[in-house]
Amino acid sequence: MTEPATSDQHERGSFASRRVFILAAIGSAVGLGNIWRFPYVAYENGGGAFVIPYLVALLTAGLPFLLMDYGIGHRYRGSAPLSFRRMHRGGEVLGWWQVGICAVIAVYYAVIIAWAVRYTFFSFDHSWGEDPNGFFFGDFLQVAEQPSVGLDFVPGVLWPLLLVWIAVLVIMVAGVQRGIGAVAVVFIPVLVVAFAALVVRALFLPGAAEGLDALFTPDWGALGDTAVWAAAFGQIFFSLSVGFGIMITYASYVGRRTDMTGSGLVVGFSNSAFELLAGIGVFAALGFLAQANGVAVNEVASDGLGLAFVAFPTIISEAPAGALIGVLFFGCLVLAGLTSLVSVIEVVISAVRDKLALTRVAASLVVGIPTATVSVVFFATTTGVPILDTADHFINRFGILLVAVCSMVAVSWWFRDLHTIRAHLNEFGSFPLGTWWSALVAVLAPIVLTYVLVQELVDALDEPYGGYPDWLLNWFGWGAAIGVVLVAAVISALPWSRRTSLEIPEEVHR
């Protein structure tokens, strides 16, 4: 049963029901990383044995932090900056830090969706020919020989990117329920059915069993490697959409009496189930590719752009009914990407709305048009790929993980609000949280993630990422990660609109 919306909910917008909220949250969590990152991470870190540290990470860090995000948004009823500000005067900067991370992600995430749109149609006639790698980086993206920044636009990327941004702006202007909620209700079931069909088709390819053996054969010795455990905790945070304001924002759009702990369990386990499904589908297809070319699976296994736009086109060209596999695979990338992009950009729009007291339409345009412009200028050009690769690597590792650690420590030890959040979640939650939950959020998760961060920092200082020149890493890598913190501090110092109440909404006290 859906409870009546309060005046605050009506003004900000709200999801029509708990079901819509759960679908929207799953849509945010299930993104490109589930499809092209998890299978390879699992393969590289012990195969079947990786499931153990992965589940431990999910239960001891991923879900506890997800529930903390839910508790913050649901209790304080605002965007990430406003929710943190209502919690503690010094907390606003954490919210704007998360908003900045989302803004950076949005400008490059959209272009990958645009590539997937084109490749959905390329799948019909195998436009990449005999050399998918050369086609992707050469004919399609026309990547410049040396990393640089330029305005040499690639029409084949520019037009689909503009279409992606137009679609996103229409969704955002439509609002929380009619835009974000409606997209989730339609796209998530379609995504699950389409990907399940892809997995079934992949399982019947010759060599599929060899691919699954490569993925799931357990290397029990890997369990003694701290790097494997670090990889598991890192993967959980990358895939659950925690630590950068999305779940805080979405939780602020649901009714006061909503079961948030039960919802969190559904979202967390659904995300992990999709990752395992992705692993099965991807490695079944890679097993076929390995057998068809007479090589071992480890010679064709990859993640990221190499998997999606090089390995899979090769599979599509050689597999029976390859066009169907291509349409399903790239169609799933488009659907998963769009639901995630919508959630990322909503974090920014919601924050701007709260800070400046703007209407939904005004905030969507104020945020959407500049973001789309930056996206087109930097990533629809021949020089966009190295910039995208660098920004994605650094903002994920030294943005999301770092702000997650800082948030947990601040909420637990500086604001001392963890007990209040736990009590709020337990009031209507179907899964009770005890002191064990507080210990996981306040102690265990920050320690493990700090270890992951230190390892990442050591690796980054040891060897320049991707072999890129220092100026590129300094501007678009370290510069992006540090810049969002500085911008967050500046925006936090600016006054709020007089029409924005910094007090906790009255319905929370009822």
Side-chain angles (χ1 to χ4, degrees), residues 183-322:
V183 166
V185 167
V186 174
F187 279 14
I188 296 307
V190 172
L191 171 63
V192 172
V193 171
F195 206 85
L198 172 66
V199 171
V200 170
R201 181 68 195 92
L203 287 173
F204 284 96
L205 291 173
E210 285 74 10
L212 295 180
D213 280 345
L215 174 61
F216 288 116
T217 298
D219 174 12
W220 299 113
L223 296 181
D225 185 352
T226 54
V228 170
W229 290 85
F233 279 83
Q235 174 62 28
I236 283 295
F237 271 72
F238 291 140
S239 69
L240 270 183
S241 288
V242 292
F244 47 115
I246 294 174
M247 295 308 181
I248 292 176
T249 305
Y250 275 13
S252 73
Y253 294 145
V254 295
R256 169 79 175 90
R257 296 175 179 270
T258 302
D259 172 10
M260 299 305 290
T261 58
S263 301
L265 294 180
V266 172
V267 172
F269 285 114
S270 296
N271 173 74
S272 293
F274 189 89
E275 287 196 317
L276 291 172
L277 185 67
I280 292 170
V282 166
F283 267 80
L286 291 176
F288 162 78
L289 180 60
Q291 186 184 88
N293 289 278
V295 298
V297 174
N298 64 356
E299 293 186 44
V300 296
S302 63
D303 67 342
L305 303 184
L307 170 70
F309 298 102
V310 177
F312 254 85
T314 305
I315 294 167
I316 293 163
S317 294
E318 299 182 10

Side-chain angles (χ1 to χ4, degrees), residues 196 350 482:
S350 180
I482 296 171

Side-chain angles (χ1 to χ4, degrees), residues 169-494:
L169 285 176
V170 169
I171 292 168
M172 305 322 292
V173 167
V176 176
Q177 175 58 33
R178 290 188 301 165
I180 300 169
V183 166
V185 167
V186 174
F187 279 14
I188 296 307
V190 172
L191 171 63
V192 172
V193 171
F195 206 85
L198 172 66
V199 171
V200 170
R201 181 68 195 92
L203 287 173
F204 284 96
L205 291 173
E210 285 74 10
L212 295 180
D213 280 345
L215 174 61
F216 288 116
T217 298
D219 174 12
W220 299 113
L223 296 181
D225 185 352
T226 54
V228 170
W229 290 85
F233 279 83
Q235 174 62 28
I236 283 295
F237 271 72
F238 291 140
S239 69
L240 270 183
S241 288
V242 292
F244 47 115
I246 294 174
M247 295 308 181
I248 292 176
T249 305
Y250 275 13
S252 73
Y253 294 145
V254 295
R256 169 79 175 90
R257 296 175 179 270
T258 302
D259 172 10
M260 299 305 290
T261 58
S263 301
L265 294 180
V266 172
V267 172
F269 285 114
S270 296
N271 173 74
S272 293
F274 189 89
E275 287 196 317
L276 291 172
L277 185 67
I280 292 170
V282 166
F283 267 80
L286 291 176
F288 162 78
L289 180 60
Q291 186 184 88
N293 289 278
V295 298
V297 174
N298 64 356
E299 293 186 44
V300 296
S302 63
D303 67 342
L305 303 184
L307 170 70
F309 298 102
V310 177
F312 254 85
T314 305
I315 294 167
I316 293 163
S317 294
E318 299 182 10
L324 173 63
I325 294 175
V327 170
L328 289 173
F329 179 74
F330 289 109
C332 286
L333 286 187
V334 173
L335 293 176
L338 270 176
T339 54
S340 294
L341 178 59
V342 162
S343 68
V344 166
I345 202 72
E346 174 62 16
V347 173
V348 188
I349 290 172
S350 180
V352 170
R353 281 195 75 191
D354 285 345
K355 187 81 173 183
L356 303 179
L358 298 178
T359 64
R360 157 66 60 172
V361 174
S364 297
L365 296 178
V366 164
V367 170
I369 292 176
T371 306
T373 302
V374 173
S375 180
V376 168
V377 168
F378 278 103
F379 301 111
T381 66
T382 59
T383 57
V385 173
I387 298 173
L388 184 156
D389 187 29
T390 301
D392 176 61
H393 179 82
F394 279 83
I395 206 69
N396 273 284
R397 281 145 184 84
F398 305 111
I400 296 173
L401 285 182
L402 184 56
V403 76
V405 172
C406 292
S407 299
M408 284 186 282
V409 171
V411 171
S412 304
W413 301 106
W414 180 15
F415 310 155
R416 296 188 176 277
D417 203 58
L418 207 55
H419 178 77
T420 302
I421 293 171
R422 191 179 83 201
H424 177 86
L425 289 169
N426 281 337
E427 186 174 1
F428 297 104
S430 60
F431 181 78
L433 304 178
T435 54
W436 55 267
W437 176 78
S438 299
L440 292 175
V441 173
V443 181
L444 179 66
I447 289 174
V448 174
L449 290 183
T450 299
Y451 174 80
V452 174
L453 272 166
V454 171
Q455 291 295 108
E456 294 284 358
L457 182 61
V458 169
D459 291 343
L461 296 177
D462 241 10
E463 184 178 346
Y465 175 68
Y468 293 130
D470 289 343
W471 69 265
L472 183 67
L473 298 179
N474 290 337
W475 278 100
F476 297 100
W478 297 113
I482 296 171
V484 293
V485 182
L486 298 178
V487 171
V490 171
I491 297 177
S492 298
L494 300 177

Side-chain angles (χ1 to χ4, degrees), residues 141-160:
L141 296 182
Q142 301 172 28
V143 177
E145 291 185 9
Q146 297 296 327
S148 61
V149 179
L151 293 176
D152 187 6
F153 290 100
V154 180
V157 177
L158 174 63
W159 297 115

Side-chain angles (χ1 to χ4, degrees), residues 63-190:
L63 284 174
F65 191 87
L66 176 67
L67 293 176
M68 188 186 87
D69 268 1
Y70 280 2
I72 293 172
H74 194 242
R75 172 172 170 74
Y76 295 104
R77 317 301 293 170
S79 59
L82 181 56
S83 292
F84 276 111
R85 176 62 178 76
R86 283 172 171 168
M87 184 191 302
H88 190 279
R89 188 179 186 87
E92 184 182 342
V93 68
L94 289 171
W96 285 110
W97 187 356
Q98 296 180 351
V99 170
I101 289 170
C102 285
V104 173
I105 291 173
V107 297
Y108 69 76
Y109 204 84
V111 77
I112 303 174
I113 302 171
W115 297 346
V117 170
R118 288 296 306 279
Y119 266 70
T120 304
F121 293 99
F122 288 162
S123 298
F124 287 104
D125 62 359
H126 304 170
S127 300
W128 43 78
E130 299 296 322
D131 182 15
N133 186 74
F135 175 83
F136 178 62
F137 291 104
D139 297 352
F140 178 53
L141 296 182
Q142 301 172 28
V143 177
E145 291 185 9
Q146 297 296 327
S148 61
V149 179
L151 293 176
D152 187 6
F153 290 100
V154 180
V157 177
L158 174 63
W159 297 115
L161 180 56
L162 288 174
L163 288 176
V164 167
W165 276 114
I166 290 170
V168 169
L169 285 176
V170 169
I171 292 168
M172 305 322 292
V173 167
V176 176
Q177 175 58 33
R178 290 188 301 165
I180 300 169
V183 166
V185 167
V186 174
F187 279 14
I188 296 307
V190 172

